[in-house]
């Protein structure tokens, strides 16, 4: 295995190929390397690249992919313009992990399905397409509730992505083929497993994520809720964005995570909120609409109630924020 | 980790960040952890160039400059323990959950078991051996003794490094802030309450 200390974006891209991996904080990669689950030939170290800045201009917050999660949550501009991100980061993983984990690594981390990460489990379609899925074949692990397929029911890992999708963030990418950057809505970066669960992303692993851009609109309020078995084992999370004018919701976004194959936009929920008085947002009808599209299996049926709870709580917190805002 | 049906009846309280003492998962990982061998590996002679297939790592560990040839896939834990003989950095869960390998990297606490050693090039690392410059006990170590914050001692070096770091970190105003800061630091001997007392006492001394 070769380790490349890239000195520029161009140099990083020049080493990218089918058997390479970029290294951000290296935490989740290191776990998979140590267990032999990822076996890249080239590791491309991004630490020397100028991707560790947070900049704010013209209603946009631009976050470099090498920014550490602890730096993100502590940054004054993030705390004042995008407090949702601070709120989310302070609840995930542990302080020591957050010191090392990068924004890019957090967004592009592979699933934390315990059977994907267990080298003694031979049946995982994500590792070897066609080998089966130990979770579907009777493990007690619940798997995900939304966006799953008959070949894989793994949940996507990133909680930061849930908040960033609610904020309509975009990512900037460079690919080895093109010389210019392109951008993509963060939500469009993630895919459901379908018949090929080998990747969670719509982009190639050779593409380099350089930054995340977040629009910060002052009339928006956010609510975030997370249910976890322990801080390290998140079960369900939900981020809600409400844009309110004269006590009427003019725009809304409801994103579910933790029990979803990818950051999951609760599309049926949003039309029930938009155009309605703020006071009617917190209804069973809205909460139940968030469960539309759920694909429960016997083991994941209990997750339905968790999904309802996080949606309700995230909505409640957003409404509360709006009230606090106006005071 | 199996999913229990009772968890679906979670109350409002569980939306709060759990307190440090509540992490059964991490404590389980700690309990399963193997104790460190008592004889440490011998420190490596300075290799002028890396061995074939390996990589040069130039860094500072506990104030001492090091030049090592490392496997690119090695974790910082492996290099500190096996190549530098620092057995205080424990081989615990190796999945980032127990905190027994907590090490300072560029002044910040990190789980050495998951940090690729190759990322530590030209960086400074500190383990419990390097916390005190003159070999005397640091304030936090003395507080650990005073409060009986160690039992078997397996987790103690990582706890001391974490506590040392916490004393330099900004802390939120909420009452659980200090306990939350200990998140990820498990102790199979249930000494987290005493560790918390030790931390609080040093913090209060400093005002
Ligand atoms: C014990 C544990 C508990 C955790 N708990 C939570 C939790 O509760 N909630 C949560 O949301 N997260 C959690 N995480 C995830 C954690 O916060 C980190 O985000 C994660 O470990 C990856 O960060 P990293 O920078 O180390 O990524 P790396 O390991 O460096 O990278 C991860 C992946 O992304 C790729 N990559 C990295 N940077 C780039 C880039 N710029 N461009 C293209 N590809 C890139 C790598 O090739 C790799 O495939 C946990 C992690 C651990 C180990
Ligand atoms: S759910 Fe997906 S990742 Fe988990 S074992 Fe099944 S195929 Fe593998
Ligand atoms: S050995 Fe448990 S966190 Fe590193
Ligand atoms: S409280 Fe257990 S890991 Fe944080
Ligand atoms: S490990 Fe117990 S505090 Fe998190
Ligand atoms: S594990 Fe024994 S003192 Fe903490």
């Amino acid at each position: 295995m070769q380790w490349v200390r890239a000195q520029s974006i161009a140099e990083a891209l020049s080493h990218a190929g089918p058997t390479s991996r970029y290294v951000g904080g290296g935490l989740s990669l290191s776990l998979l390397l140590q267990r032999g689950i990822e076996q890249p030939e080239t590791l491309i170290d991004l630490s020397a690249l100028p991707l560790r800045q947070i900049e704010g201009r013209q209603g946009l917050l631009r976050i470099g992919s090498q920014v550490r999660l602890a730096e993100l949550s502590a940054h004054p501009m993030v705390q004042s313009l995008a407090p949702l991100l601070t709120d989310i980061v302070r609840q995930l993983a542990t302080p020591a992990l957050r010191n090392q984990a990068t924004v890019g690594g957090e967004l592009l981390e592979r699933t934390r399905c315990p059977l994907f990460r267990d080298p003694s489990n031979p049946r995982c379609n994500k590792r070897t397409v066609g080998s089966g899925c130990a979770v579907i074949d009777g493990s007690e692990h619940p798997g995900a509730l939304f966006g799953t397929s008959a070949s894989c029911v793994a949940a996507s890992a990133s909680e930061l992505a849930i908040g960033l999708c609610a904020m309509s963030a975009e990512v900037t990418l460079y690919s080895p083929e093109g010389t210019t950057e392109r951008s993509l809505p963060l939500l469009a970066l993630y895919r459901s497993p379908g018949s090929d669960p080998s990747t969670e992303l719509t982009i190639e692993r050779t593409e380099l994520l350089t930054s995340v851009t977040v629009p910060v609109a002052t009339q928006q309020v956010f609510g975030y809720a997370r249910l976890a078995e322990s801080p390290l084992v998140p079960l369900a999370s939900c981020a809600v964005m409400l844009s309110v004018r004269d006590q009427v919701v003019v725009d809304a976004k409801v994103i579910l995570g933790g029990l979803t194959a990818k950051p999951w936009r609760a599309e049926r929920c949003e039309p029930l909120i938009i155009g309605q008085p703020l006071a009617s947002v917190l209804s069973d009808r809205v909460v139940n609409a968030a469960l539309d599209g759920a694909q429960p299996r016997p083991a994941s049926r209990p997750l339905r109630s968790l999904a309802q709870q996080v949606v309700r709580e995230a909505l409640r917190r957003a409404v509360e924020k709006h009230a606090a805002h106006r005071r | 980790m199996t999913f229990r049906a009772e968890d679906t009846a979670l109350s409002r309280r569980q939306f709060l960040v759990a307190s440090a003492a509540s992490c059964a998962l991490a404590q389980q990982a700690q309990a399963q952890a193997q104790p460190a061998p008592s004889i440490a590996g011998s420190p490596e002679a300075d290799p002028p160039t890396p061995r074939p297939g390996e990589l040069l790592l130039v860094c500072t560990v506990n104030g001492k400059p090091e030049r090592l040839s490392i496997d690119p896939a090695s974790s910082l834990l492996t290099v500190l323990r096996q190549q530098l003989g620092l057995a205080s950095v424990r081989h615990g869960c190796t999945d980032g959950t127990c905190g027994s390998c907590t090490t300072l990297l560029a002044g910040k606490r990190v789980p050495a078991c998951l940090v690729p050693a190759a990322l530590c090039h030209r960086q400074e690392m500190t383990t419990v051996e390097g916390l005190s410059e003159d070999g005397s006990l640091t304030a936090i170590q003395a507080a650990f003794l005073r409060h009986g914050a160690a039992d078997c001692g397996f987790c103690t070096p990582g706890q001391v490094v974490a506590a040392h770091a916490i004393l330099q970190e900004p802390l939120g105003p909420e009452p659980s802030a200090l306990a939350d800061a200990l998140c990820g630091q498990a102790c199979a001997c249930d000494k987290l309450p005493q560790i918390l007392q030790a931390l609080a006492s040093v913090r209060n001394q400093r005002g």
Side-chain angles (χ1 to χ4, degrees):
Chain A
M1 195 189 307
Q2 189 199 4
W3 183 279
V4 179
R5 294 184 174 126
Q7 299 303 314
S8 65
I9 290 175
E11 189 189 352
L13 292 169
S14 74
H15 289 278
T19 59
S20 72
R21 285 287 182 272
Y22 296 114
V23 187
L27 298 168
S28 76
L29 199 56
S30 165
L31 183 104
L32 298 176
L33 287 178
Q34 290 180 45
R35 297 185 183 180
I37 292 167
E38 291 261 22
Q39 298 181 326
E41 283 165 24
T42 308
L43 291 171
I44 307 167
D45 175 350
L46 306 176
S47 25
L49 305 189
L51 301 174
R52 208 165 163 175
Q53 287 97 24
I54 298 178
E55 300 156 359
R57 74 178 112 83
Q58 293 160 355
L60 291 178
L61 201 59
R62 196 179 167 95
I63 305 160
S65 61
Q66 284 290 102
V67 169
R68 308 285 148 167
L69 294 184
E71 293 167 354
L72 179 72
S73 62
H75 199 282
M77 211 142 56
V78 174
Q79 292 186 347
S80 67
L81 298 174
L84 172 73
L85 302 182
T86 297
D87 188 22
I88 293 176
V89 168
R90 286 199 178 146
Q91 295 181 60
L92 68 80
T94 70
L97 287 159
R98 299 195 295 264
N99 278 337
Q100 178 69 13
T102 61
V103 168
E106 162 75 14
L107 295 179
L108 300 174
E109 191 196 8
R110 303 213 64 190
T111 177
R112 267 176 279 132
C113 170
L115 286 139
F116 167 74
R117 296 174 153 223
D118 176 359
S120 72
N121 164 40
R123 284 172 304 146
C124 174
N125 286 325
K126 191 176 277 302
R127 295 207 310 255
T128 312
V129 178
S131 64
C133 167
V135 174
I136 294 175
D137 297 349
S139 134
E140 278 178 72
H141 177 67
L145 193 57
F146 294 86
T148 56
S149 74
S151 63
C152 174
V153 295
S156 73
S158 173
E159 291 180 79
L160 181 62
I162 305 308
L164 285 170
C165 287
M167 297 188 83
S168 305
E170 296 206 343
V171 289
T172 305
L173 301 160
Y174 278 88
S175 93
E177 289 78 38
T179 44
T180 54
E181 54 177 47
R182 65 172 178 130
S183 55
L184 201 68
L186 176 62
L187 198 57
L189 199 69
Y190 301 102
R191 66 182 283 276
S192 294
S195 58
D196 177 10
S198 62
T199 172
E200 308 63 18
L201 304 177
T202 58
I203 61 165
E204 299 295 326
R205 286 273 170 192
T206 50
E207 290 188 72
L208 178 68
L209 195 160
T210 52
S211 67
V212 184
T213 306
V214 192
V216 280
T218 44
Q219 72 276 19
Q220 294 180 343
V221 287
F222 294 90
Y224 179 71
R226 173 197 213 239
L227 272 173
E229 193 165 296
S230 81
L232 288 164
V233 186
L235 294 171
S237 61
C238 179
V240 168
M241 180 280 286
L242 297 178
S243 183
V244 183
R245 203 173 298 144
D246 302 329
Q247 294 298 305
V248 172
V249 179
V250 293
D251 196 11
K253 223 169 225 170
V254 178
I255 311 284
L256 270 165
L259 32 64
T260 59
K262 59 176 184 178
W264 188 262
R265 187 164 173 192
E267 269 169 353
R268 295 293 276 274
C269 215
E270 295 167 8
L272 298 183
I273 308 177
I274 298 168
Q276 300 299 311
L278 185 64
S280 71
V281 161
L282 259 178
S283 73
D284 286 345
R285 203 166 135 257
V286 173
V287 171
N288 290 335
L291 283 178
D292 230 70
Q295 300 167 293
R297 299 173 308 114
S300 63
R301 203 152 287 138
L303 296 180
R304 290 177 60 93
S305 135
L306 295 189
Q308 285 168 320
Q309 288 177 63
V310 286
V311 171
R312 187 184 302 280
E313 182 67 13
L315 284 167
R316 196 189 64 76
R317 290 181 179 193
V319 170
E320 206 173 63
K321 286 256 173 59
H322 178 72
H325 232 62
R326 286 166 46 88
R327 243 175 255 137
Chain B
M1 179 102 339
T2 57
F3 185 82
R4 296 182 309 276
E6 307 92 81
D7 282 347
T8 59
L10 290 162
S11 66
R12 172 68 42 81
R13 287 184 52 223
Q14 271 159 295
F15 283 100
L16 302 171
V17 177
S19 74
S22 68
C23 184
L25 167 91
Q27 291 179 1
Q28 205 176 313
Q30 172 74 39
Q32 289 162 355
Q34 294 298 308
S38 51
I39 302 161
S42 62
E44 188 114 330
D46 285 2
T49 50
R51 288 185 287 264
E54 294 205 337
L55 176 81
L56 183 67
L57 175 66
V58 178
C59 58
T60 305
V61 179
N62 294 332
K64 189 166 161 271
E66 303 285 354
R67 257 178 93 83
L68 303 164
S69 172
I70 62 162
D71 177 339
S74 286
S75 66
L76 177 58
L77 172 71
T78 306
V79 168
L80 292 174
R81 273 183 78 83
Q82 295 179 7
Q83 291 186 237
L84 293 173
L86 292 166
S88 73
V89 189
R90 305 295 200 210
H91 187 283
C93 64
T94 66
D95 63 15
T97 54
C98 80
S100 68
C101 66
T102 302
T103 299
L104 301 184
L105 169 61
K108 298 273 164 47
R109 54 178 164 142
V110 298
C113 63
L114 290 186
V115 174
L119 278 184
C120 305
H121 193 49
R122 306 204 184 283
Q123 302 283 336
E124 221 168 280
M125 271 84 76
T126 309
T127 66
V128 74
E129 290 86 350
L131 289 182
S132 156
E133 277 163 22
D134 56 2
S136 64
L137 287 184
T138 61
I140 189 69
Q141 282 169 314
F144 265 58
L145 282 176
R146 243 187 358 261
H147 290 270
D151 187 350
C152 77
F154 178 81
C155 73
T156 313
Q159 307 285 15
V160 170
V161 173
H164 185 92
I166 291 168
L167 289 167
Q168 281 151 29
E169 292 169 4
L171 210 62
E174 61 282 2
S176 66
L178 213 49
D180 293 344
L182 274 174
C183 175
Q185 292 295 137
C187 172
C189 304
D190 282 333
K191 287 291 181 183
L192 284 174
Q194 287 81 355
I195 292 169
L196 203 57
Q197 285 166 7
L199 245 175
S201 75
V202 178
R203 234 191 129 71
N204 294 340
Q205 275 164 31
R206 296 192 183 168

